[in-house]
Amino acid sequence: MTAEAIVHAHMAPEREPFLIRTAADVDHFFDRAITLIRDRGRGPQLAQLSYMTGVGEDEFPAEEFYVGFDVERNLCALSYLGPQPHGKWFSFQTCDAPTDRAGTFQYAYWGTPSEFPADSGVPVENAKAAVVEFLTTGGARPTAVQWQPKPDPATAGAR
């Protein structure tokens, strides 16, 4: 028997994960996250999405995928950590959105800052498509956006 494809999305201050099973769930999650951030007057926030496999107590996260919500600029930044391709990857901005931040940009995850490259913001619709792809491909790194490897701290300022 094949387990149901499901993504658990965690975002503070919510304690229970938002369960994503369909593309409609992705839309609902994004709407909820953006509204929560805007209503609470918070800066950029990060959600952790885990592709789940197994059933019940045997359920465990496989690959992990993060979505940063920058409501002010109407952009999302993505990061992916998984075995194929190996390592941590960040989305790469290819749109004409404002990139007035040099170096890195911080998103808060449960109050802890997490750094992303400043050029990792992508349009919200592209981020939604990437989450749908993450769900439907079994947690594979989405191809709906372009990716860049985790910057080398020694050369990150030289970009």
Side-chain angles (χ1 to χ4, degrees), residues 141-158:
R141 188 181 76 178
T143 59
V145 297
Q146 291 188 15
W147 295 93
Q148 59 185 317
K150 181 178 180 178
D152 179 351
T155 60

Side-chain angles (χ1 to χ4, degrees), residues 1-19:
M1 178 171 104
T2 304
E4 176 186 21
I6 188 168
V7 169
H8 287 192
H10 292 272
M11 185 170 181
E14 305 294 318
R15 297 293 180 206
E16 293 297 317
F18 185 90
L19 304 180

Side-chain angles (χ1 to χ4, degrees), residues 4-92:
E4 176 186 21
I6 188 168
V7 169
H8 287 192
H10 292 272
M11 185 170 181
E14 305 294 318
R15 297 293 180 206
E16 293 297 317
F18 185 90
L19 304 180
I20 298 174
R21 294 181 175 96
T22 66
D25 290 342
V26 171
D27 285 335
H28 184 68
F29 171 69
F30 271 72
D31 292 345
R32 182 174 167 187
I34 290 167
T35 299
L36 179 70
I37 293 165
R38 187 173 289 129
D39 288 352
R40 298 204 175 162
R42 302 198 183 247
Q45 299 292 307
L46 193 62
Q48 177 187 21
L49 282 61
S50 300
Y51 184 83
M52 306 302 284
T53 58
V55 179
E57 290 183 22
D58 294 334
E59 213 166 6
F60 59 92
E63 292 77 9
E64 290 187 353
F65 189 45
Y66 291 84
V67 179
F69 293 91
D70 184 348
V71 175
E72 181 182 310
R73 296 189 305 157
N74 198 33
L75 296 173
C76 291
L78 310 174
S79 73
Y80 175 86
L81 179 62
Q84 297 297 323
H86 179 70
K88 188 167 188 175
W89 295 83
F90 294 93
S91 52
F92 181 70

Side-chain angles (χ1 to χ4, degrees), residues 72-159:
E72 181 182 310
R73 296 189 305 157
N74 198 33
L75 296 173
C76 291
L78 310 174
S79 73
Y80 175 86
L81 179 62
Q84 297 297 323
H86 179 70
K88 188 167 188 175
W89 295 83
F90 294 93
S91 52
F92 181 70
Q93 181 174 307
T94 57
C95 63
D96 291 330
T99 56
D100 58 347
R101 296 170 176 98
T104 61
F105 186 68
Q106 290 187 345
Y107 291 84
Y109 180 67
W110 294 82
T112 302
S114 182
E115 289 190 348
F116 279 65
D119 59 359
S120 61
V122 298
V124 172
E125 291 305 314
N126 295 46
K128 285 181 182 181
V131 173
V132 169
E133 189 176 346
F134 179 72
L135 171 69
T136 60
T137 60
R141 188 181 76 178
T143 59
V145 297
Q146 291 188 15
W147 295 93
Q148 59 185 317
K150 181 178 180 178
D152 179 351
T155 60
R159 302 205 294 142

